[in-house]
Amino acid sequence: MAISRLSFLLHQQLQKYTSSLRHLSYSNRSFCSASNLRSHFQRIGFIGLGNMGSRMANNLIEDGYNLTVHDVDHNAMKIFSERGILTKESPFEVADSSDVLITMLPSSNHVLDVYTGRNGLLSHGNTLGPWLFIDSSTIDPQTSRKLSATIADCSLKRKRDGFEVPAMLDAPVSGGVLAAQAGTLTFMVGGLEEAYVAAKPLFLSMGKSTIYCGGAGNGSAAKICNNLAMAVSMLGVSEALALGQKLGIAASTLTKIFNSSSARCWSSDTYNPVPGVMDGVPASRNYDGGFASKLMAKDLNLATESAKEVGLEFPLTSQAEKIFTQLCNDGHGMKDFSCVFRHYYPGNDEL
């Protein structure tokens, strides 16, 4: 029995050792692969240096990438130029000196202007320098698909390993300004899978996770579905917390109940909309910073329009769009979208 027991233990140790060797071998192969991929990213162009884009660009710089940047706001570019980062006066000039081009812009119209407008990325013919275009803007899936098809019809000035023609990925993000600052964004990516795999090191320099969603436009589709759910959830949590307080339950108490029961969600446990309940969220600083209400209204409009195009009626989404649009009309468009609690339930908070 003792010999059998010893044999069993030795067998276990041998399995662990063999497994470790296999893991080490795989890690070495992965490192070599990553080193080869890095050569494709020697020059990164970044367009759009707003609240999100500036922080994403910073993370790429801190990770050792060589960036060239552009923004219509010269003050935003000045912040980078003072740090020794190369700036350009037009999108085309950025593309002309880049291997990969990343855009982070407010709307579909801004994206179209940067790509197809005067001195845009595609304004000087269909032979392109960058082998990969990544758009992290939140736009409608149709625009993403049209741009992807247009880029796929172009040719490359210089062929890349495995890529005969330039590729485009729609890669919107979730996590907001705080996650952009911390480098913990989640990327939802649509487009050619080979391009997604190649670009993963870039995504992981700016975020903590990436999810491949399928073909062109699917990343954009995933993002507007995510924000649809987020908006409706925030409204539901805000209404429930307001009702609870009117019925005599403190918001902090009700939040504890939510977070230990079936009502638990991101709007209650991570981004609570009631002032005084949670530190470090926009509600704790008069709803400054975070995700602007005007952007939520825009994203809900994208969702309602996309629903119409596929023949669906979404009453909750339509109502949410009306509420956030009204919030903007009342002068709160630049406040974080969680301010919907204070605006619709004035004076009804934890203070």
Side-chain angles (χ1 to χ4, degrees), residues 119-342:
N119 289 321
L121 301 174
L122 308 178
S123 62
H124 287 58
N126 63 352
T127 302
L128 307 179
W131 67 273
L132 179 61
F133 295 81
I134 299 172
D135 180 40
S136 287
S137 316
T138 299
I139 64 174
D140 62 281
Q142 294 78 13
T143 297
S144 294
R145 287 167 182 152
K146 288 175 184 176
L147 284 175
S148 180
T150 299
I151 287 172
D153 284 338
C154 295
S155 59
L156 284 171
K157 289 181 180 178
R158 184 164 65 92
K159 297 292 188 295
R160 302 281 177 165
D161 293 343
F163 292 92
E164 296 290 325
V165 297
M168 182 177 187
L169 297 171
D170 47 285
V173 300
S174 178
V177 173
L178 294 178
Q181 178 81 33
T184 56
L185 293 168
T186 294
F187 286 84
M188 296 157 267
V189 188
L192 187 67
E193 188 169 9
E194 291 85 349
Y196 163 73
V197 171
K200 211 167 181 182
L202 282 179
F203 294 136
L204 294 179
S205 289
M206 299 179 283
K208 65 177 180 180
S209 62
T210 67
I211 301 171
Y212 180 63
C213 302
N218 282 13
S220 295
K223 177 59 188 293
I224 62 174
C225 290
N226 180 80
N227 281 16
L228 181 165
M230 184 169 69
V232 172
S233 168
M234 182 59 75
L235 289 172
V237 167
S238 295
E239 290 187 0
L241 290 171
L243 177 61
Q245 288 182 96
K246 286 295 187 182
L247 295 175
I249 309 172
S252 56
T253 300
L254 197 52
T255 294
K256 290 177 183 176
I257 294 169
F258 286 0
N259 293 344
S260 59
S261 66
S262 55
R264 183 176 185 175
C265 62
W266 183 81
S267 297
S268 69
D269 71 2
T270 303
Y271 215 77
N272 197 284
V274 183
V277 171
M278 185 178 292
D279 293 330
V281 296
S284 70
R285 52 178 186 268
N286 196 31
Y287 302 103
D288 290 327
F291 186 63
S293 295
K294 69 174 187 177
L295 295 179
M296 179 57 81
K298 179 211 75 172
D299 291 354
L300 287 167
N301 177 258
L302 292 176
T304 54
E305 291 302 314
S306 294
K308 289 176 184 177
E309 288 183 9
V310 294
L312 295 175
E313 292 185 8
F314 288 158
L316 290 179
T317 306
S318 298
Q319 185 62 25
E321 183 189 1
K322 291 177 183 177
I323 291 172
F324 281 101
T325 299
Q326 186 61 50
L327 200 63
C328 296
N329 292 339
D330 290 343
H332 304 288
M334 295 305 296
K335 293 289 186 179
D336 181 76
F337 81 106
S338 62
C339 79
V340 70
F341 174 86
R342 175 65 71 79

